[in-house]
Amino acid sequence: MELFYLLVFGGLGLIVATLELSKNNKDRINTSSAFNSFKNNYLLVYSLMMAGDWLQGPYVYYLYTTYGFEKGDIGQLFIAGFGSSMLFGTIVGSLADKHGRKRASMTYCITYILSCITKHSPQYKILMVGRILGGIATSLLFSAFESWLVAEHNKRGFEQQWLSLTFSEAIFLGNGLVAILAGLFGNLLVDTLALGPVAPFDASSCLLAIGMAIILSSWTENYGDPSESKDLLTQFRGAAVAIASDEKIALLGAIQSLFEGSMYTFVFLWTPALSPNGEDIPHGFVFATFMLSSMLGSSFASRLLGRASIRVEGYMQTVFLISSASLLLPFITSFMVAPTEKGGSISFAGCIQMLGFCVFEACVGLFWPSIMKMRSQYIPEEARSTIMNFFRIPLNISVCIVLYNVDAFPISIMFGMCAIFLFIASLLQRRLLVVAESSWPLEKVRELETEPLNNI
């Protein structure tokens, strides 16, 4: 392996370790033992859920190729997954508010396990069913668990600032450390033990089953609005009214769609961007490096969210601007760096782009706990899952469009479009800060009025 990859990975690992070990009392939040027990239970479940997801990711495309499917057929399978998340996932995810977030979390486990089972069949129709089930599961993963956490946190009377701690640690573990370990474990199953490309999906099913058992035995049920008089259409209408009537919620949804749309586009395009001429790159090691970058971002986020004087709406403007600049690098290098010959090791332009991609992944690590914090502040509890799934509709549409037209535009142009989207997100974030500040004094007064006397 080239020295460049080792230096980048080692440098990032050193920075992450230094940040974590150098935390002082100002960076740490004093909590109660009851909260720590609650938090650790959620982190265990969330890590198992994310491990089940990460184990599958690197091998989905590869599995389809081993079954002999061409790029076009595989593209249709991926489009079906995102389309399912947009259509069926929105409906199923929204039912969590009425029928319970614990039930929805268990439904995620069951649905994803069934999706994994379909991977044993080489029949296209069965694989299509698996992608549809996977799309539904994805919507539940990114709505039901967070909705359960926020509601349960508030129900138990924990301080709001402690919620930020759970968010940042969940991303550090679930989207960082667990992703790296899942990648290494998947490599062990497929390459070292030669168990075949279906093995990671079987391992994923086992982890999801363990997580479901923990949910069943230790979680209590909570709801958004369990009113029997509200049907699904009424829930949708209520969520749409909430988004239209509250500018903060509408801005938050637009920001999330712009960033996540750019993020998923990056996931599809980073491999051809780093090896446009068939350069030999260690995909697993590069993926681990990106996840380490995400851990770096979440480590920064835990420090920022732990300071009551720092507002998440403020620093996220800078995060979006930096992420925009980082994804602009492929566009810039396409003009400034001469193309290399086919094959060989990573080019100079590829090295520059990889460093930029590491910066973008660090922004991703900052984004997740920060957007979770803002969602907990602005989205009403009674329709939390429904609104969060509404946010994913434009995201899934944009990803389907990108997948369908992935060969229509040069990669540099696609990244340039993502950079523009992220710049727009920074402008919307600025507007969100202005709107939030205009309503902050009244909210602060109410907070002080309800605060216990011994805390004033």
Side-chain angles (χ1 to χ4, degrees):
M1 190 178 297
E2 290 187 34
L3 181 62
F4 170 73
Y5 301 112
L6 297 174
L7 287 174
V8 174
F9 187 87
L12 286 169
L14 183 62
I15 295 172
V16 171
T18 302
L19 276 175
E20 288 298 306
L21 294 175
S22 64
K23 284 184 176 179
N24 53 38
N25 291 333
K26 290 183 179 180
D27 301 312
R28 301 182 189 277
I29 302 175
N30 294 322
T31 58
S32 66
S33 58
F35 169 76
N36 288 332
S37 177
F38 167 74
K39 180 194 69 174
N40 292 335
N41 173 271
Y42 178 79
L43 292 177
L44 174 60
V45 171
Y46 184 78
S47 296
L48 287 169
M49 300 301 103
M50 293 306 299
D53 188 48
W54 287 118
L55 266 172
Q56 301 179 48
Y59 297 99
V60 176
Y61 193 100
Y62 174 60
L63 176 68
Y64 293 154
T65 59
T66 62
Y67 287 151
F69 296 112
E70 299 295 331
K71 184 178 179 180
D73 294 329
I74 296 175
Q76 291 178 12
L77 287 170
F78 275 92
I79 290 174
F82 284 101
S84 167
S85 180
M86 177 181 64
L87 181 60
F88 303 117
T90 301
I91 297 172
V92 174
S94 300
L95 291 174
D97 287 327
K98 182 175 181 178
H99 297 286
R101 280 76 178 263
K102 176 183 175 179
R103 288 191 182 92
S105 300
M106 294 177 63
T107 302
Y108 161 78
C109 298
I110 295 170
T111 306
Y112 225 0
I113 289 172
L114 292 174
S115 176
C116 291
I117 293 174
T118 64
K119 300 299 188 293
H120 283 271
S121 173
Q123 296 184 29
Y124 192 79
K125 291 182 179 179
I126 294 179
L127 293 173
M128 182 67 76
V129 171
R131 287 301 298 173
I132 293 172
L133 291 172
I136 296 172
T138 300
S139 287
L140 290 169
L141 174 62
F142 290 106
S143 60
F145 291 90
E146 182 181 331
S147 297
W148 180 89
L149 170 65
V150 174
E152 197 68 20
H153 181 99
N154 293 331
K155 187 169 72 174
R156 299 190 184 200
F158 298 134
E159 294 185 19
Q160 275 299 306
Q161 192 180 13
W162 297 357
L163 190 59
S164 303
L165 181 64
T166 307
F167 287 149
S168 58
E169 290 189 15
I171 299 305
F172 185 86
L173 293 172
N175 290 36
L177 183 61
V178 167
I180 295 173
L181 295 177
L184 295 175
F185 185 53
N187 188 75
L188 173 69
L189 294 174
V190 176
D191 296 332
T192 306
L193 300 179
L195 297 177
V198 182
F201 297 92
D202 294 334
S204 174
S205 297
C206 294
L207 294 177
L208 292 170
I210 294 172
M212 184 170 64
I214 297 174
I215 293 172
L216 183 64
S217 61
S218 62
W219 283 22
T220 58
E221 188 62 274
N222 62 55
Y223 304 86
D225 185 355
S227 173
E228 292 294 332
S229 60
K230 282 192 174 182
D231 56 18
L232 192 60
L233 187 59
T234 304
Q235 282 184 256
F236 285 167
R237 190 181 298 113
V241 169
I243 295 172
S245 60
D246 191 333
E247 187 179 359
K248 296 191 293 294
I249 299 178
L251 286 168
L252 197 61
I255 290 167
Q256 177 179 322
S257 295
L258 287 167
F259 188 89
E260 290 192 40
S262 301
M263 181 186 69
Y264 281 113
T265 302
F266 164 78
V267 169
F268 299 137
L269 297 181
W270 72 260
T271 296
L274 295 181
S275 56
N277 296 306
E279 289 88 348
D280 184 22
I281 60 173
H283 293 85
F285 197 80
V286 171
F287 171 79
T289 304
F290 289 161
M291 294 304 100
L292 193 57
S293 301
S294 180
M295 290 177 67
L296 174 62
S298 62
S299 183
F300 270 119
S302 67
R303 288 172 175 255
L304 294 171
L305 293 171
R307 306 285 180 91
S309 59
I310 299 177
R311 298 208 64 185
V312 61
E313 295 87 353
Y315 72 74
M316 282 306 294
Q317 298 175 68
T318 305
V319 171
F320 291 136
L321 286 174
I322 293 174
S323 62
S324 176
S326 66
L327 290 193
L328 198 59
L329 284 176
F331 182 79
I332 296 174
T333 55
S334 66
F335 292 100
M336 298 183 62
V337 182
T340 58
E341 297 181 359
K342 287 189 175 293
S345 59
I346 189 171
S347 64
F348 176 67
C351 291
I352 295 175
Q353 290 177 35
M354 181 170 170
L355 293 175
F357 291 165
C358 288
V359 172
F360 176 74
E361 281 288 351
C363 292
V364 172
L366 271 159
F367 168 80
W368 281 117
S370 302
I371 198 72
M372 289 175 176
K373 172 67 173 177
M374 289 189 285
R375 286 195 298 238
S376 71
Q377 292 174 334
Y378 300 132
I379 299 179
E381 180 59 39
E382 63 271 12
R384 185 175 301 278
S385 292
T386 306
I387 292 175
M388 287 174 63
N389 278 289
F390 265 42
F391 286 174
R392 294 185 62 81
I393 292 176
L395 161 67
N396 286 307
I397 291 174
S398 65
V399 172
C400 288
I401 292 173
V402 169
L403 278 172
Y404 189 76
N405 297 285
V406 70
D407 294 326
F409 301 98
I411 291 176
S412 59
I413 298 297
M414 301 287 279
F415 276 113
M417 292 169 60
C418 290
I420 294 173
F421 293 156
L422 292 169
F423 180 74
I424 295 173
S426 71
L427 297 178
L428 296 179
Q429 184 68 50
R430 172 62 184 171
R431 175 60 185 170
L432 178 59
L433 175 63
V434 172
V435 175
E437 284 183 337
S438 66
S439 60
W440 182 80
L442 179 60
E443 293 171 355
K444 190 65 177 177
V445 170
R446 289 174 178 169
E447 179 184 330
L448 290 173
E449 287 176 348
T450 57
E451 200 171 18
L453 289 175
N454 61 347
N455 288 337
I456 297 179

